[in-house]
Amino acid sequence: MSTKAEKTTAFIIETVAPLFNKQGYIGTSMSDLTDATGLTKGAIYGNFENKEALALSAYEYNSKRLLAKIDDVLAAEGNALDKVFALTDFYRSYDVFTQDMGGCPILNTGVDAQGNNRLLSAANREALKEIEGKIALVLENGVNKKELKIPVTPLQFAKQMFTIIQGAVAMSTMTRDRKYLINTITYLDVLIKRELKK
């Protein structure tokens, strides 16, 4: 059973995670945090050393939610290609999944933290590598089971695939036009069929 302090810490993180994700580390003020939580500055900093520590905890909360969802998606029934298509299908409606998070934590934090928060930037790079690694593992297992062929190493293909996905997420976010996401993922499916099918 959680203590009162643990519950308060969890409440703060869950409440401010979308704020930091949407407004950025610099753009989120102390008054934004106190308004959102209904807590005083002292109560917030009684649970976190400083704003940087809180922002990092908020990012880790969002990225863990995303990574857990990707794990669920990649655990889909079927062969490696089925799993890859389950992932692209998830990203086809990714904007809906990330809406209550304040948008894509990978994109938002990655851009925001560059040059102003090295800890957040490092955490973001780790999350990127973890997602690429998860995709690469599915591809590698598919190659080993002779379920698919691959023109480059699994990690290289995973990186290129994730680059295309994140580019679509970025364009969709910046233009507020879902077609960038939907159309790019549809095209990515065509590329995957052409490049990976046995």
Side-chain angles (χ1 to χ4, degrees), residues 4-16 47-48 61:
K4 186 179 177 188
E6 288 169 338
K7 286 179 183 171
T8 302
T9 299
F11 165 75
I12 293 168
I13 292 169
E14 290 169 24
T15 305
V16 305
N47 289 274
F48 297 92
Y61 171 77

Side-chain angles (χ1 to χ4, degrees), residues 103-127:
C104 174
I106 301 293
L107 173 67
N108 293 356
T109 304
V111 172
D112 175 64
Q114 287 296 320
N116 68 39
N117 191 317
R118 64 179 182 75
L119 291 177
L120 268 178
S121 191
N124 188 254
R125 281 192 302 276
E126 284 305 308

Side-chain angles (χ1 to χ4, degrees), residues 22-163:
K22 196 171 191 175
Q23 297 174 194
Y25 171 69
I26 299 292
T28 304
S29 68
M30 197 62 220
S31 63
D32 291 329
L33 301 174
T34 57
D35 288 349
T37 59
L39 300 171
T40 64
K41 180 178 176 181
I44 292 172
Y45 284 147
N47 289 274
F48 297 92
E49 185 181 344
N50 52 35
K51 182 181 168 187
E52 188 174 50
L54 177 54
L56 185 58
S57 293
Y59 174 73
E60 287 170 348
Y61 171 77
N62 276 338
S63 65
K64 281 178 185 167
R65 284 179 65 194
L66 174 58
L67 290 166
K69 179 63 177 177
I70 289 172
D71 282 341
D72 286 347
V73 169
L74 292 177
E77 291 294 319
N79 63 28
L81 207 53
D82 295 328
K83 292 175 189 295
V84 170
F85 286 135
L87 184 68
T88 58
D89 194 48
F90 162 65
Y91 272 102
R92 193 172 276 107
S93 58
Y94 181 67
D95 55 333
V96 176
F97 174 77
T98 59
Q99 191 168 16
D100 72 325
M101 301 167 92
C104 174
I106 301 293
L107 173 67
N108 293 356
T109 304
V111 172
D112 175 64
Q114 287 296 320
N116 68 39
N117 191 317
R118 64 179 182 75
L119 291 177
L120 268 178
S121 191
N124 188 254
R125 281 192 302 276
E126 284 305 308
L128 278 168
K129 286 180 188 173
E130 195 169 341
I131 293 169
E132 291 169 350
K134 289 174 188 297
I135 299 168
L137 185 59
V138 168
L139 296 172
E140 188 175 338
N141 289 338
V143 169
N144 291 341
K145 291 178 183 174
K146 304 202 181 324
E147 295 171 346
L148 46 84
K149 66 177 177 65
I150 190 165
V152 292
T153 66
L155 184 58
Q156 184 59 41
F157 195 92
K159 286 182 176 192
Q160 294 309 125
M161 183 178 153
F162 195 58
T163 298

